Amino acid sequence: MTQALIVIDVQNDFCPGGALALPEGDAVVPRINAMMPEFDAVILTQDWHPAGHSSFASVHPGKAPMETVEMPYGTQVLWPDHCVQGAEGAAFHADLETDRADLIIRKGFNPRIDSYSAFFENDRTTPTGLEGYLRTRGIARVTLAGLATDFCVNFSAVDAARLGFETTVALDACRGVDLDGSLEAALEGMRAAGVRLA
Ligand code: VGL
Ligand code: ZN
């Protein structure tokens, strides 16, 4: 069975020193590099927002990062400005072995909709194209790793399982935000969706 490693958002802004730094975010890099040779395909995702993206607290008067707003597609957490297209914060961590990637898929480029999942924007219906790529390459089994466990890894894994891919999350190669218990809720949600947590 053809297996892919999907590496979620291992970018400078999610690592220590970045705009939306996760504790030990950079600790995933050597683990992910070591996993790459075990897979038939390696796919990287990149959070890729235009300046002034609607998920940035800075564009919502009176709102602070980590507060929420109601968007047409549901509740949206507001973040510090991060992963702005072309900025150093949006670049992959320098030690990530990006040369091994068959595909780099960018998401979050629509100014009005955030995209946590590698498969669909946060309206849960607009596709990124990743599903078609995997299917046309005959990939039936996916393993996910990267940042952040409770947001982009979680949404991507639940969508992968929902689409019928045999889905594993390599938890020791992920790090989370853990906003108000979001990490525990994400683990529960992934288990319920049939995602294997390894
Ligand atoms: C992410 C918050 C905002 C992630 C991306 O990669 O998990 N989290 N944008
Ligand atoms: Zn983002």
Side-chain angles (χ1 to χ4, degrees), residues 4-5 33 61 67-68 88 96 111 120-121 157 159-160 190:
L5 176 65
N33 286 343
E67 293 182 359
T68 59
E88 195 48 34
L96 185 70
F120 296 100
E121 295 185 350
D159 281 347
M190 288 192 281

Side-chain angles (χ1 to χ4, degrees), residues 42 45 67 84 110 114 155 160-161 165 175 195:
V42 174
T45 72
E67 293 182 359
V84 173
N110 182 335
D114 206 1
F155 278 69
F165 296 98
R175 289 295 183 278
V195 174

Side-chain angles (χ1 to χ4, degrees), residues 9 11 14 20 47-49 53 55-56 76 79-80 82-83 107-108 114-116 152:
D9 299 358
Q11 293 167 262
F14 299 122
L20 182 32
D47 208 36
W48 196 250
H49 300 307
H53 190 258
S55 74
F56 296 171
Q76 170 72 48
W79 305 103
H82 66 280
C83 296
K107 60 183 181 61
D114 206 1
S115 187
Y116 293 149
C152 292

Side-chain angles (χ1 to χ4, degrees), residues 5 7 31-42 44 96-98 100-101:
L5 176 65
V7 179
R31 291 168 198 259
I32 290 170
N33 286 343
M35 290 167 74
M36 288 179 176
E38 298 165 25
F39 291 85
D40 306 300
V42 174
L44 310 179
L96 185 70
E97 288 188 18
T98 57
R100 288 186 175 270

